[in-house]
Amino acid sequence: KKKLKISGRELVSVPTQVFGLDQLQVLEMSPERESCLRYRMELLPQEISRLRNLTCLYVDSNNLKKIPAEIGTLSHLERLTLSNNSLSSLPPEMGALQRLHSLHLANNSLTELPAPLCQLRSLTFLDVSDNKIGTIPSSIQRLEKLETLLLLFNSLESLPEDVCLLRKLRTLWLGNNHLRSLPATFGELVNLDWGYNYCSCNFEGNPLESPPPEVCSRGPEEIRDYFLSFHR
């Protein structure tokens, strides 16, 4: 088998037989998104390192409290989904996942953007919505290939200038934070579809000024129209 889905509302651990499938590429242990179920697995075992050919690992909507350091040995991993768990931190070894391009961490208990994430040079999609993240490290600028960054429902009071160096960003969601202003260079994120595509960028739920003068002075005219449209 190269693809395996394990399901059941009583799922509490990975069956040991799985670790003998050394050619496995896709392992899914998540309930269907529409079902609103949550599995009971609290820990990924260290033996996950035996699945060296994994490219996709789906473990959303469990009760994971910790990710083992051995996750860093999965050098072929391209997609990892950990949303809807109970994670408060990530192991530094995750920085070794240099083929990872999609990472889902929404609805956990993270209070900061873990440093290892900023080492993932191939990352194009990062979702850390609905955590308690209050700051973004300046090292985020290393994610030079990042195209989608979802930061909804966090505790951000400011956005570092370094985010504006992510010139390939096409989607940036900042809704429902505590942002009062944006960096002066924010208008240089020219790949965002200002005002014409709601899915490209949104700021709703923030106490931003209308319109932010430091942005309007440098960014395209569409920025002014966008902010004015929802502050009227």
Side-chain angles (χ1 to χ4, degrees), residues 200-219:
S200 177
C201 193
N202 70 70
F203 306 94
E204 283 82 347
N206 285 286
L208 287 166
E209 298 178 10
S210 168
E214 71 275 25
V215 173
C216 289
S217 64
R218 300 191 61 168

Side-chain angles (χ1 to χ4, degrees), residues 29-223:
M29 295 177 288
S30 301
E32 298 295 334
R33 193 168 292 181
E34 300 78 16
S35 70
C36 297
L37 288 176
R38 196 165 189 141
Y39 293 167
R40 295 164 53 198
M41 185 164 55
E42 295 186 1
L43 181 67
L44 275 178
Q46 296 176 344
E47 288 81 1
I48 195 76
S49 62
R50 297 182 189 174
L51 304 179
R52 295 295 178 90
N53 288 299
L54 272 187
T55 59
C56 300
L57 178 59
Y58 303 94
V59 280
D60 298 282
S61 299
N62 279 274
N63 194 27
L64 294 175
K65 294 178 169 59
K66 185 179 180 181
I67 301 299
E70 285 75 11
I71 194 80
T73 65
L74 303 179
S75 59
H76 293 282
L77 204 61
E78 298 176 357
R79 184 177 177 85
L80 176 59
T81 66
L82 296 166
S83 298
N84 303 317
N85 280 288
S86 302
L87 298 170
S88 58
S89 63
L90 297 174
E93 289 79 4
M94 276 192 65
L97 301 177
Q98 290 304 308
R99 295 192 185 184
L100 197 68
H101 60 71
S102 180
L103 179 58
H104 297 239
L105 290 165
N107 194 23
N108 276 283
S109 300
L110 299 172
T111 57
E112 60 183 2
L113 200 62
L117 302 191
C118 299
Q119 301 172 26
L120 302 175
R121 300 298 179 85
S122 294
L123 208 62
T124 61
F125 181 99
L126 175 59
D127 183 3
V128 287
S129 301
D130 207 2
N131 281 279
K132 298 176 183 178
I133 295 173
T135 58
I136 299 176
S138 61
S139 53
I140 195 172
Q141 64 180 281
R142 298 177 189 167
L143 301 180
E144 53 193 33
K145 295 183 180 180
L146 199 64
E147 296 181 1
T148 300
L149 177 57
L150 309 184
L151 290 161
L152 299 158
F153 293 97
N154 278 294
S155 302
L156 294 171
E157 295 185 356
S158 63
L159 203 64
E161 291 271 354
D162 303 273
V163 170
C164 304
L165 297 175
L166 302 175
R167 300 298 167 79
K168 293 191 176 181
L169 270 186
R170 294 182 178 275
T171 303
L172 177 60
W173 290 1
L174 295 166
N176 293 93
N177 279 280
H178 307 302
L179 298 172
R180 292 190 175 276
S181 63
L182 295 173
T185 55
F186 199 78
E188 295 179 12
L189 294 174
V190 295
N191 284 317
L192 296 177
D193 188 8
W194 294 103
Y196 298 107
N197 182 357
Y198 175 82
C199 292
S200 177
C201 193
N202 70 70
F203 306 94
E204 283 82 347
N206 285 286
L208 287 166
E209 298 178 10
S210 168
E214 71 275 25
V215 173
C216 289
S217 64
R218 300 191 61 168
E221 185 178 344
E222 289 83 6
I223 294 179

